[in-house]
Amino acid sequence: MVRFWAHDQAEFPLPEGHKFPLGKYRLLRERLISEGLARPEDIRRSEPADWALLGRVHQAQYLDRVREGRLSDREERVLGLPWSAELVERGRRSTQGTLEAARDAMATGYGMNLGGGTHHAGRAAGRGYCLFNDIAVAITQLREERPGLGPVAVVDCDVHQGDGTAELLQPDPAVFTLSLHGGANYPFRRATSDLDVELPTGTGDDDYLAHLEAALGGIEAWAAPELVIFLAGADPWEGDRLGRLALTKSGLAARDAMVLDRAERWGSVVTVALAGGYAPDLADTVDINLATARAVVARAG
Ligand SMILES: [Zn+2]
């Protein structure tokens, strides 16, 4: 049985009409239960990540400003979310969820955070709805808990480039950062991943899957990772408001299967984080996330 980590109970205030899909997290948790993919007790609520742990990835002054509500107007604009104590609490819980899911993966083969994938957060800056970089935090802590941890691959299939992850982890020789994203999408100032694949606007299922297969081959040429952190963004979907690509829901399911199959072949354990998804109807984003969860549950057996 796969264990899931949730933090949706920690809501935060958003202005009317804001694009952040606050409602998707609770809907996904409820559907996991109603569709029999998880029992209520399989979905655990993550605690807020320790400030000391966040401080091993992020700059101390940045964290002070976040904690004390002293982000500048510009920093808040770049983050894209209005600061509140509740937002900070939620960001910490979301970050911890990815760490817990990584621990589950190490223990049982698979773990999934019903959130996280906050890949735009860099060392000294929140960006694009991302306050903390959960991926870098999880890897940092896991290494301390398991000094022998082997190579780690970040397979970032969110439609936006994982610029914060690239900034934080590309220099790390034991981590391979792959980002597969829309070439015309945010962020407009990129960081360099170990492998960046820029897809033209309008890319559909077949081309996407061909690029993904080649990119996974790039990881394979580097090493067979012990741990794969998969950012299963729902925003490459054709109906997404921010994505600009044209994948169908079945194309996204094929993407998930390709990543999970390859990880299985490598003998990797897998941690899944949701990352983005901005369908006009939240139910579409939730469908896509649910299909990812279903694929994980099916493999975990
Ligand atoms: Zn995204």
Side-chain angles (χ1 to χ4, degrees):
M1 205 71 192
V2 178
R3 193 152 68 162
F4 296 92
W5 292 89
H7 60 275
D8 62 276
Q9 302 89 340
E11 294 215 326
F12 63 93
L14 268 182
E16 191 75 24
H18 195 285
K19 282 203 183 93
F20 186 81
L22 191 56
K24 80 171 178 183
Y25 302 89
R26 180 179 56 81
L27 290 173
L28 176 61
R29 177 166 56 84
E30 290 170 354
R31 279 192 66 195
L32 279 166
I33 295 168
S34 67
E35 302 207 9
L37 292 171
R39 300 164 301 183
E41 62 268 31
D42 301 322
I43 305 180
R44 305 281 291 273
R45 192 173 170 187
S46 49
E47 294 297 318
D50 274 349
W51 287 105
L53 171 57
L54 297 173
R56 288 168 55 210
V57 168
H58 294 285
Q59 187 202 55
Q61 295 91 322
Y62 167 65
L63 292 180
D64 287 345
R65 291 197 299 281
V66 168
R67 190 173 50 227
E68 294 160 13
R70 291 190 290 103
L71 293 176
S72 69
D73 291 348
R74 186 178 175 281
E75 283 181 306
E76 215 173 58
R77 225 172 24 247
V78 169
L79 175 62
L81 295 168
W83 185 92
S84 62
E86 293 90 340
L87 174 73
V88 176
E89 154 107 8
R90 180 171 170 121
R92 292 170 65 201
R93 287 183 186 272
S94 164
T95 300
Q96 184 73 17
T98 297
L99 169 58
E100 299 291 0
R103 286 171 170 154
D104 285 350
M106 297 305 296
T108 70
Y110 294 93
M112 184 162 174
N113 187 9
L114 304 179
T118 44
H119 58 167
H120 298 306
R123 200 176 95 76
R127 284 189 288 256
Y129 306 158
C130 303
L131 209 42
F132 311 117
N133 194 299
D134 58 325
I135 304 131
V137 168
I139 292 171
T140 299
Q141 178 59 26
L142 213 57
R143 272 199 185 133
E144 185 166 302
E145 294 170 11
R146 298 173 172 263
L149 182 69
V152 178
V154 180
V155 177
D156 187 341
C157 289
D158 186 276
V159 83
H160 302 100
Q161 199 224 6
D163 54 340
T165 307
E167 177 199 332
L168 291 162
L169 294 175
Q170 189 282 329
D172 185 332
V175 179
F176 192 103
T177 51
L178 162 65
S179 179
L180 203 75
H181 50 265
N185 286 354
Y186 175 93
F188 304 106
R189 196 189 305 159
R190 304 274 156 93
T192 305
S193 312
D194 289 294
L195 180 55
D196 285 300
V197 181
E198 305 240 329
L199 302 165
T201 296
T203 296
D205 293 346
D206 292 348
D207 285 343
Y208 184 97
L209 293 169
H211 280 289
L212 176 60
E213 185 159 32
L216 293 172
I219 295 177
E220 195 163 300
W222 168 73
E226 180 172 357
L227 167 67
V228 170
I229 300 186
F230 175 33
L231 276 65
D235 46 12
W237 182 54
E238 56 191 344
D240 193 89
R241 281 185 295 178
L242 306 182
R244 299 172 192 261
L245 300 191
L247 274 75
T248 63
K249 288 182 183 176
S250 67
L252 286 162
R255 171 198 72 175
D256 296 346
M258 187 180 280
V259 173
L260 295 171
D261 284 348
R262 191 64 71 103
E264 207 170 281
R265 211 168 83 197
W266 291 334
S268 319
V269 303
V270 181
T271 303
V272 181
L274 294 188
Y278 309 93
D281 183 347
L282 282 182
D284 288 311
T285 299
V286 173
D287 279 349
I288 294 163
N289 293 155
L290 194 74
T292 304
R294 184 172 280 120
V296 171
V297 167
R299 277 170 175 74

